[in-house]
Amino acid sequence: LVSGACSSSHLSDAKRKEGVARISRGDLAERFLLTGELEAISSDSLVVPTTNQWNLTIRWLEANGAVVAAGQKVAEFDNSAFTGDLAAKRLAADRSRSDLARQRSVNAILEGDKTYAAESARIALEKARLEAGVPPDSFPRRVYQEKQLDLQRAQVAHDAARDELESQIRSAALEMKVRQIALEKAEREIRSAETAIDALVLRAPRAGVVEVADHPRLGRKMETGDSVFPGYTVVRLPDLSAMRVRALSSDVDDSRIAAGMSTVSYLDAWPDLAFPGTI
């Protein structure tokens, strides 16, 4: 035994160091391993816009993890239904604009005719009034009575002409209002369609990294061609200045975890780096 011990003392330092761990005095701490995902505490979410089309299709989507600048396009939805409808709305607006111009011309002609008729009736009334104002003894009684009758006829004709002119003015104003409302409605529909088309392009509100959201129904990242509904988050721009790890634990381990505990996180991308944190 002594000989064996002595011979073993002649082993090289390299062999003596093989399989030997250096142990130092310290506090004994229990470790608990959780697996989770790294995420930003806050992020800007870009959602599917609300339009008159309930179901939208993603036509283009920026790559996950791409770096974008402020205002850069990150997602676009199919707008074929809106562009086709927009052409019809513009045609309807042009037709309403033409109807308004034509109605204005017609009103001007009719009002001119009624004004001329009213002015002619006024002149005739003035003439009849002058002739009827002659003393009765200046004409034979029959002629005098005819002058008075002509005055009454001229007065009735004048009143009728004035009524027709005022009626034409009111009718023209009403027709113009109806045409104007139709034109404003068509223009409003055009603006609504153009706004919807613009809303179908999602742009980054600031510079950052694109995080493509998970499809809530398919359980995977959203892709080009997916059908989505208003309110769905399509892309996020996370704030990388403050991050956290979200992990799931079993109910039986709840008592082993408490707020305030220190943590050390290791990422798959950088396994040699330790990131300290707190529950």
Side-chain angles (χ1 to χ4, degrees), residues 41-115:
I41 294 179
S42 63
S43 60
D44 295 320
S45 298
L46 282 72
V47 302
V48 179
T50 300
T51 64
N52 57 2
Q53 295 288 332
W54 177 248
N55 188 10
L56 296 176
T57 302
I58 299 177
R59 185 165 69 179
W60 179 84
L61 190 62
E62 183 61 88
N64 190 41
V67 179
V68 296
Q72 183 175 336
K73 182 175 69 174
V74 295
E76 184 177 1
F77 303 95
D78 183 28
N79 61 2
S80 57
F82 297 91
T83 53
D85 192 39
L86 179 60
K89 293 181 184 302
R90 285 175 175 167
L91 181 61
D94 291 340
R95 187 181 300 111
S96 297
R97 198 173 291 108
S98 299
D99 291 343
L100 180 63
R102 183 172 58 255
Q103 187 64 43
R104 185 180 292 110
S105 300
V106 171
N107 291 343
I109 294 174
L110 293 177
E111 185 176 346
D113 292 342
K114 300 297 182 183
T115 301

Side-chain angles (χ1 to χ4, degrees), residues 4-257:
C6 292
S7 63
S8 64
S9 63
H10 297 288
L11 295 175
S12 64
D13 292 340
K15 290 186 177 182
R16 285 203 306 271
K17 291 180 180 179
E18 289 179 358
V20 178
R22 294 185 178 276
I23 300 175
S24 60
R25 184 180 298 275
D27 296 330
L28 183 63
E30 182 181 9
R31 289 180 177 268
F32 185 61
L33 179 62
L34 290 177
T35 300
E37 294 182 350
L38 183 69
E39 65 179 18
I41 294 179
S42 63
S43 60
D44 295 320
S45 298
L46 282 72
V47 302
V48 179
T50 300
T51 64
N52 57 2
Q53 295 288 332
W54 177 248
N55 188 10
L56 296 176
T57 302
I58 299 177
R59 185 165 69 179
W60 179 84
L61 190 62
E62 183 61 88
N64 190 41
V67 179
V68 296
Q72 183 175 336
K73 182 175 69 174
V74 295
E76 184 177 1
F77 303 95
D78 183 28
N79 61 2
S80 57
F82 297 91
T83 53
D85 192 39
L86 179 60
K89 293 181 184 302
R90 285 175 175 167
L91 181 61
D94 291 340
R95 187 181 300 111
S96 297
R97 198 173 291 108
S98 299
D99 291 343
L100 180 63
R102 183 172 58 255
Q103 187 64 43
R104 185 180 292 110
S105 300
V106 171
N107 291 343
I109 294 174
L110 293 177
E111 185 176 346
D113 292 342
K114 300 297 182 183
T115 301
Y116 176 78
E119 184 64 18
S120 299
R122 185 189 67 79
I123 295 174
L125 176 61
E126 292 295 332
K127 180 180 179 181
R129 186 178 289 117
L130 289 175
E131 293 179 352
V134 177
D137 54 357
S138 300
F139 295 103
R141 184 174 180 82
R142 183 180 60 82
V143 175
Y144 177 78
Q145 292 177 346
E146 289 178 352
K147 298 294 184 181
Q148 298 300 319
L149 185 60
D150 290 341
L151 175 61
Q152 295 177 2
R153 292 195 187 100
Q155 184 65 52
V156 171
H158 176 265
D159 294 342
R162 292 296 303 176
D163 290 342
E164 289 182 3
L165 176 59
E166 294 174 357
S167 176
Q168 172 58 34
I169 293 175
R170 291 192 299 268
S171 176
L174 181 59
E175 287 292 337
M176 289 296 295
K177 186 176 181 180
V178 171
R179 304 292 185 185
Q180 185 67 35
I181 290 175
L183 176 59
E184 292 175 354
K185 178 183 178 182
E187 292 176 342
R188 186 168 57 252
E189 290 178 351
I190 290 175
R191 291 192 298 270
S192 177
E194 291 175 344
T195 301
I197 292 175
D198 293 338
L200 295 179
V201 178
L202 302 182
R203 300 185 181 277
R206 58 175 176 81
V209 177
V210 171
E211 178 190 358
V212 178
D214 293 334
H215 198 295
R217 299 174 60 186
L218 302 180
R220 57 164 174 77
K221 293 288 185 183
M222 289 194 177
E223 299 176 354
T224 301
D226 285 347
S227 295
V228 290
F229 299 96
Y232 279 11
T233 298
V234 179
V235 171
R236 294 186 182 90
L237 293 178
D239 182 6
L240 303 181
S241 62
M243 306 291 290
R244 66 185 175 189
V245 175
R246 182 184 297 275
L248 299 177
S249 65
S250 175
D251 290 344
V252 298
D253 296 323
D254 285 348
S255 60
R256 302 179 61 184
I257 304 175

